[in-house]
């Protein structure tokens, strides 16, 4: 999960503060590929028992696809941050 600067999503608005991005299968001779993303609200719920880790609640607020441009695909190489940045830029989101 990538932490993002919070944004309102839906009606009534709920704050999205995270995004998960997946790369969808593609052909070995492809010049581009598709991604799948989910905007989520992540909340930590403190444990009532001392020393126990908090519970993390994730609520999916929105989902969609983004197709990398040929330039983004060719720049990808082995650095997945290139893919993350392409999706974030397309959605006009920023990392927190």
């Amino acid at each position: 999960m990538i932490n993002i600067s919070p944004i309102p999503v839906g009606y009534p608005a709920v704050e999205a503060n995270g995004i998960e991005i997946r790369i969808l299968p593609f052909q070995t001779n492809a010049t581009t590929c598709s991604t799948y993303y989910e905007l989520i609200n992540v909340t930590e719920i403190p444990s009532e028992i001392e020393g126990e880790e908090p519970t993390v609640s994730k609520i999916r607020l929105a989902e969609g696809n983004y197709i990398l441009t040929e330039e983004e695909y060719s720049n990808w190489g082995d650095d997945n941050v290139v893919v993350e940045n392409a999706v974030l830029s397309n959605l006009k989101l920023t990392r927190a």
Side-chain angles (χ1 to χ4, degrees):
M1 185 198 68
I2 301 165
N3 293 320
I4 59 170
S5 297
I7 60 161
V9 175
Y11 183 83
V14 177
E15 183 179 274
N17 57 7
I19 187 170
E20 293 182 343
I21 301 170
R22 293 175 188 83
I23 300 162
L24 300 178
F26 56 96
Q27 303 269 340
T28 56
N29 62 349
T31 59
T32 188
C33 72
S34 189
T35 64
Y36 170 76
Y37 63 84
E38 296 176 325
L39 288 172
I40 55 178
N41 173 276
V42 180
T43 307
E44 280 194 6
I45 304 165
S47 174
E48 294 181 8
I49 301 171
E50 187 176 329
E52 259 191 32
E53 294 292 316
T55 301
V56 177
S57 166
K58 288 184 180 183
I59 301 169
R60 181 178 53 182
L61 304 174
E63 61 186 308
N65 296 95
Y66 175 70
I67 298 173
L68 295 179
T69 66
E70 287 187 21
E71 181 180 358
E72 290 165 340
Y73 184 84
S74 68
N75 289 335
W76 175 14
D78 62 357
D79 187 358
N80 290 339
V81 172
V82 171
V83 175
E84 294 171 356
N85 288 341
V87 174
L88 292 170
S89 176
N90 178 268
L91 295 173
K92 298 178 179 28
L93 300 173
T94 56
R95 293 176 190 265

